[in-house]
């Protein structure tokens, strides 16, 4: 990688300082902050332009006391000087006064003067022996004060013991320091033979324009292939996405959407669909009955009578009926609708004249144990066609077209049974992913026992089936519960356009 202008400046500064220099000096020379220099130096070293060497050094530093002694002299020196001026012999009190020493300083001065044999006390008076002009301690003090602080160098000058004494007396402090030395490599030297690189900028700023500096800089090229940061914008839940897709398909095919209540009377959920009142599907284990309130209103007398008679003896439908005593209390019971056929039949009762092409995608409830295949609350897709002269072929055609639009090319129909249709079919689609046929919708033509009481005089094609299974097929999900667990990672990872 090439050099940035600032990096080139750093190499240049080291070069001008003799090819190797302390970081602080380099930063000063290059006119940049030490912290900036150090981070650049790491990168330059990684790329082989320079070597960063760490050097541990010890530095002597004067303490406050040391600074004072530097000005005034060591107490013992002051003592000797005063003693000299007093003629070489005097009482300690007089020397103290002459030298301007405090009590404490006098004690120190006497201690050292005697220890160094510069003076002694005899019969209460202080006598001068002999004192050198200067001592190694005093020399070291001066050197340190004149910025010659490197302990190694001072030791070389024979001042080792002096330093120890000064440190012990609290006159100096020894500080550990790591200095960073920057040293140019061959590669670094070679880089300096090239002209200073032109500054590269990635953003044109007002500052660049106003100052005219834009003329000097080079603009960085955009890498349009660099991967972007993933963004997770709000989106519909996959089940809602499939519902929308289904809606669109039905609308394209000329259907209108209808909706109906989630809480239904058993009348619409079962009786109107010619499902006998003792049908096993009505048992508690399959249908949720409402605890409060328990019963709802039945529709008009005429319709209820027609349904009742149809169940009991077939009424005018040509059927024998189920041959039992139909009870209105049973029909009044409120349930959570178990299928959306409750909604289409309700609609049919209000719209008995053709053409009726309607669909519904909505919630239904069943008292199921929840497992990987079952939920107690799920969705059904439902549709009916009431039209003049329609028949089984139309039903199969409409379903095949619907599935095709959903992406399933292969469809098969099986004979089946529902209490409300004749003939009845089960439709299956082929899933290439699973390599298997999957049941989707039950279908059929409503029996006369269903449509005649409603006053419908033309054939009604009907079909309905689970939505979740379809979503699972589309998304490759094996456990139905996954659809509603709202695992954020999974939801985010789903393709927007499967
Ligand atoms: N209601 C049926 C079910 O829940 C499906 C169906 C609807 C069958 C319409 C025939 C006609 O499985």
């Amino acid at each position: 990688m090439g050099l940035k202008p600032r990096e080139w400046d750093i190499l240049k500064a080291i070069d001008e300082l003799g090819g190797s220099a302390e970081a602080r000096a380099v930063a000063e020379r290059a006119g940049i902050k030490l912290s900036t220099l150090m981070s650049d130096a790491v990168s330059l070293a990684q790329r082989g332009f320079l070597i960063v060497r760490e050097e541990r050094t010890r530095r002597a530093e004067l303490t406050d006391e040391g600074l004072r002694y530097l000005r005034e002299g060591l107490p013992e020196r002051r003592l000797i000087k005063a003693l000299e001026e007093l003629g070489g012999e005097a009482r300690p009190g007089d020397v103290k006064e002459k030298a301007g020493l405090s009590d404490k300083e006098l004690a120190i001065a006497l201690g050292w003067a005697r220890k160094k044999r510069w003076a002694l006390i005899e019969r209460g008076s202080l006598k001068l022996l002999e004192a050198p002009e200067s001592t190694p301690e005093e020399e070291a003090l001066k050197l340190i004060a004149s910025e010659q602080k490197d302990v190694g160098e001072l030791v070389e000058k024979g001042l080792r013991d002096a330093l120890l004494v000064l440190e012990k007396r609290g006159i100096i402090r020894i500080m550990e320091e790591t200095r960073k030395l920057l040293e140019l490599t061959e590669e670094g030297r070679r880089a300096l033979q090239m002209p200073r690189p032109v500054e590269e900028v990635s953003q044109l700023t007002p500052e660049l324009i106003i100052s005219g500096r834009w003329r000097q800089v080079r603009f960085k090229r955009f890498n349009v292939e660099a991967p972007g940061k993933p963004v997770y914008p709000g989106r519909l839940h996959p089940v809602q996405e499939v519902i929308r897709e289904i809606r669109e398909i039905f609308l394209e095919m000329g259907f209108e959407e209808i909706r109906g209540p989630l809480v239904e009377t058993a009348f619409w959920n079962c009786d109107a669909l010619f499902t006998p009142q003792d049908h096993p599907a009505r048992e508690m284990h399959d249908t949720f009955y409402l605890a409060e309130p328990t019963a709802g209103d039945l529709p008009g007398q005429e319709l209820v009578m027609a349904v009742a008679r149809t169940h009991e003896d077939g009424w005018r439908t040509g059927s024998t009926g189920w041959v039992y005593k139909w009870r209105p209390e049973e029909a009044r019971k409120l349930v959570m609708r178990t299928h959306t056929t409750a909604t289409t039949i309700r609609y049919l009762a209000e719209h008995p004249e053709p053409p009726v092409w309607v669909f519904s995608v909505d919630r239904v409830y069943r008292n199921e144990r929840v497992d990987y295949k079952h939920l107690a609350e799920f969705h059904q897709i439902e549709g009916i066609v009431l039209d003049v002269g329609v028949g089984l072929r139309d039903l199969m055609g409409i379903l095949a077209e619907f599935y095709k639009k959903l992406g399933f090319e292969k469809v098969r129909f099986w004979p089946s049974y529902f209490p409300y249709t004749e003939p009845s079919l089960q439709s299956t689609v082929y899933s290439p992913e699973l390599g298997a046929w999957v049941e989707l919708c039950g279908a059929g033509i409503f029996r006369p026992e269903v449509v005649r009481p409603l006053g419908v005089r033309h054939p009604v094609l009907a079909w309905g089936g689970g939505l979740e299974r379809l979503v699972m097929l589309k998304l490759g999900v094996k456990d139905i519960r996954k659809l509603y667990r709202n695992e954020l990672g999974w939801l985010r990872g789903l393709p927007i356009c499967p």
Side-chain angles (χ1 to χ4, degrees):
M1 198 176 81
L3 287 173
K4 293 197 190 104
R6 196 175 63 210
E7 292 176 328
W8 192 90
D9 293 344
I10 291 169
L11 297 182
K12 184 83 186 154
I14 301 172
D15 191 45
E16 284 167 0
L17 290 167
S20 163
E22 215 230 313
R24 208 177 301 273
V26 175
E28 209 168 288
R29 178 116 200 163
I32 58 177
K33 277 201 249 144
L34 185 62
S35 54
T36 314
L37 170 80
M38 285 325 294
S39 65
D40 282 351
V42 169
S43 153
L44 282 167
Q46 272 165 3
R47 288 181 285 149
F49 291 111
L50 55 79
I51 293 167
V52 182
R53 250 193 258 288
E54 296 209 339
E55 213 185 54
R56 276 181 184 281
T57 55
R58 281 153 35 95
R59 191 158 50 86
E61 205 68 78
L62 294 183
T63 62
D64 286 345
E65 200 174 352
L67 282 170
R68 195 154 49 79
Y69 289 169
L70 182 73
R71 276 197 315 273
E72 301 169 355
L74 294 176
E76 62 269 30
R77 174 66 65 196
R78 288 161 66 193
L79 179 103
I80 293 303
K81 255 200 203 141
L83 190 55
E84 260 169 11
E85 280 164 23
L86 289 172
E89 181 169 351
R91 281 183 310 155
D94 297 338
V95 182
K96 174 185 175 228
E97 202 169 308
K98 179 92 186 158
L101 295 165
S102 68
D103 284 344
K104 205 179 134 205
E105 283 169 339
L106 177 67
I108 295 170
L110 282 174
W112 283 105
R114 286 166 65 188
K115 193 169 174 187
K116 290 177 175 175
R117 306 196 182 288
W118 291 356
L120 57 77
I121 293 183
E122 221 174 55
R123 271 176 261 113
S125 99
L126 191 62
K127 280 186 188 160
L128 182 67
L129 295 175
E130 203 189 356
E133 279 298 308
S134 175
T135 60
E137 282 99 278
E138 286 165 307
E139 211 177 303
L141 205 57
K142 271 192 219 127
L143 284 173
I144 294 165
S146 67
E147 293 296 315
Q148 297 188 52
K149 299 177 171 196
D150 189 86
V151 172
E153 285 170 24
L154 292 168
V155 167
E156 251 165 61
K157 291 198 166 85
L159 295 171
R160 203 186 107 92
D161 292 343
L163 289 179
L164 286 176
V165 172
L166 288 176
E167 194 188 13
K168 209 160 150 199
R169 287 179 68 177
I171 296 172
I172 62 167
R173 239 190 322 259
I174 306 292
M175 317 277 270
E176 294 261 358
E177 204 183 52
T178 4
R179 297 197 314 159
K180 292 209 188 313
L181 283 183
L182 307 185
E183 197 180 305
L184 278 190
T185 60
E186 260 320 299
E187 178 100 30
R189 263 182 247 281
R190 227 173 300 129
L192 281 175
Q193 260 135 51
M194 314 284 270
R196 184 179 190 272
V198 181
E199 185 182 351
E200 261 207 346
V201 300
S202 50
Q203 229 175 62
L204 182 61
T205 60
E207 188 273 319
L208 277 176
I209 298 172
I210 293 165
S211 67
R213 214 156 55 79
W214 62 270
R215 272 183 249 269
Q216 282 123 49
V217 301
R218 202 170 52 220
F219 289 95
K220 213 176 206 161
R221 297 175 70 89
F222 281 117
N223 177 4
V224 290
E225 272 155 23
K229 226 176 149 184
V231 281
Y232 301 107
R235 59 176 290 182
L236 288 179
H237 188 277
V239 173
Q240 282 305 321
E241 269 169 12
V242 176
I243 289 176
R244 287 204 174 186
E245 191 184 345
I246 286 166
R247 237 177 226 146
E248 221 156 282
I249 292 173
F250 273 125
L251 293 174
E252 265 172 26
M253 290 172 68
F255 286 81
E256 250 180 77
E257 183 166 8
I258 59 166
R259 304 197 75 168
L262 301 180
V263 175
E264 266 294 8
T265 50
F267 181 85
W268 290 115
N269 199 71
C270 309
D271 297 280
L273 287 164
F274 196 52
T275 306
Q277 293 189 327
D278 59 358
H279 193 279
R282 295 206 193 188
E283 297 276 312
M284 281 304 211
H285 64 245
D286 208 355
T287 305
F288 285 120
Y289 284 86
L290 253 66
E292 178 66 43
T294 52
D297 294 334
L298 291 180
Q301 187 66 24
E302 212 177 312
L303 172 55
V304 175
M305 278 314 296
V307 168
R309 287 282 308 278
T310 305
H311 276 244
E312 289 174 356
D313 60 19
W315 186 54
R316 289 188 224 142
T317 62
S319 163
T320 57
W322 296 109
V323 195
Y324 71 106
K325 179 82 190 105
W326 190 85
R327 294 168 26 180
E329 309 83 69
E330 199 56 45
R332 239 184 238 122
K333 284 187 179 163
L334 286 173
V335 302
M336 299 302 289
R337 76 177 164 205
T338 60
H339 54 185
T340 38
T341 319
T343 296
T344 42
I345 200 69
R346 197 184 241 285
Y347 186 84
L348 206 56
E350 278 162 26
H351 303 83
E353 296 302 326
V356 172
W357 294 58
V358 295
F359 76 98
S360 183
V361 190
D362 218 339
R363 280 170 207 240
V364 297
Y365 301 83
R366 283 185 201 173
N367 196 354
E368 303 261 21
R369 178 187 298 278
V370 172
D371 62 22
Y372 77 103
K373 268 170 125 171
H374 301 95
L375 292 174
E377 180 182 21
F378 54 101
H379 293 80
Q380 279 194 332
I381 307 165
E382 189 93 21
I384 52 168
V385 170
L386 156 60
D387 219 331
V388 184
V390 290
L392 198 62
R393 294 204 148 271
D394 301 294
L395 175 59
M396 294 193 287
I398 288 167
L399 274 175
E401 177 70 11
F402 173 75
Y403 291 138
K404 196 168 156 189
K405 282 175 182 276
L406 266 175
F408 300 104
E409 294 284 339
K410 292 203 237 169
V411 186
R412 273 191 200 161
F413 297 98
W414 256 218
S416 185
Y417 173 79
F418 299 99
Y420 33 94
T421 48
E422 181 58 35
S424 301
L425 302 173
Q426 187 56 248
S427 62
T428 56
V429 296
Y430 185 73
S431 157
E433 286 84 11
L434 295 182
W437 290 88
V438 182
E439 281 190 8
L440 282 186
C441 278
I445 301 176
F446 278 148
R447 301 178 74 105
E449 290 94 324
V450 173
V451 293
R452 290 298 300 278
L454 306 178
V456 174
R457 325 211 138 257
H458 295 277
V460 180
L461 318 178
W463 63 94
L467 167 83
E468 278 78 1
R469 194 178 297 180
L470 198 68
V471 180
M472 288 162 75
L473 268 187
K474 276 182 161 280
L475 303 182
V477 169
K478 302 264 178 318
D479 185 332
I480 192 168
R481 292 168 294 194
K482 189 171 182 77
L483 297 180
Y484 297 109
R485 257 188 220 132
N486 289 330
E487 297 158 17
L488 212 48
W490 176 68
L491 290 172
R492 281 176 168 169
L494 289 173
I496 302 264
C497 306

